[in-house]
């Protein structure tokens, strides 16, 4: 299959192509430049592969959680492509991408993916590897790091920016020390292929109209009262 994958849910921006079983990817830390960089990276990647959009069999989209603006940019872009090309699409969460990338190196572990959600909270998901694909152990959640419930396991992989911002609180939820902590890990669009490609091959892709973000919460900032309460609790 010829598949294009895009993720803009965090400060990382990645565009990946699956062609003849080979994956090529462009990844950069784009900050707030996703909307300008994305339309440049996609044609560049396709041109290097000698491929046109019309030759794609399907699209894969990072749907968050992460930055509300970033998620919207990626989802809107992929929906536009999928509609114009009349191609199926699969959405993959940012947490699943983090887990997939880590579990390939340590397949027996449990991947604990955490992305800093601001407002003193984290987006969190626990995964295991099943037949080479990251499988969610419980629903992805958002909340205070101190309230996160990690699965009981012999070995953990701690990945994502949530581990940089809330390391101590997240460690307290574990039954043993993690094999590794990668607090600066960001989602990569290339990792989504392992999850999405089998679904697209099986005809399980959806039409663009059904592609929706996975925000996990509906607010992007605390109220002034909540901000003051948070400051007081840290004194």
């Amino acid at each position: 299959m010829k598949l294009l994958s895009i993720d803009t849910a965090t400060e990382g921006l990645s565009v990946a192509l699956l062609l003849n079983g080979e994956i090529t990817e462009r990844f950069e830390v784009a900050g707030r430049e996703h909307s300008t960089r994305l339309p440049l990276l996609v044609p560049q990647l396709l041109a290097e592969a000698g491929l046109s959009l019309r030759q794609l069999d399907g699209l894969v989209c990072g749907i968050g959680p992460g930055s509300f603006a970033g998620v919207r940019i990626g989802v809107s872009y992929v929906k536009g492509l999928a509609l114009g090309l009349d191609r199926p699409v699969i959405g993959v969460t940012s947490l699943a991408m983090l887990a997939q990338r880590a579990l390939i190196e340590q397949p027996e572990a449990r991947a604990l993916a955490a992305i800093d959600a601001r407002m003193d909270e984290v987006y969190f998901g626990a995964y295991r590897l099943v037949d080479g694909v990251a499988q969610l152990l419980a629903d992805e959640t958002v909340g205070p790091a101190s309230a996160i419930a990690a699965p009981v396991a012999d070995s953990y992989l701690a990945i994502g920016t949530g581990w940089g911002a809330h390391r101590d609180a997240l460690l307290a939820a574990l039954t043993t020390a993690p094999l590794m902590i990668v607090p600066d890990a960001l989602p990569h669009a290339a990792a989504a292929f392992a999850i999405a490609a089998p679904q697209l091959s099986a005809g399980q892709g959806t039409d663009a109209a059904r592609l929706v973000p996975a925000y996990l919460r509906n607010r992007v900032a605390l109220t002034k009262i909540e901000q003051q309460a948070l400051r007081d609790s840290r004194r």
Side-chain angles (χ1 to χ4, degrees), residues 23 29 34 39 63 98 127 178:
I23 295 174
V29 177
H34 294 74
I63 56 174
L98 285 170
Y127 288 81

Side-chain angles (χ1 to χ4, degrees), residues 181-232:
I181 300 177
V182 189
D184 56 351
L186 295 171
H188 279 247
F193 286 132
I195 300 169
Q199 298 178 51
L200 286 165
S201 295
Q204 297 171 356
T206 185
D207 60 78
R210 296 185 179 181
L211 182 68
V212 295
Y215 289 131
L216 296 190
R217 73 178 180 201
N218 56 14
R219 293 193 303 161
V220 297
L222 295 172
T223 65
K224 290 183 178 180
I225 293 175
E226 289 169 330
Q227 290 174 15
Q228 185 59 52
L230 181 59
R231 287 193 291 269
D232 292 343

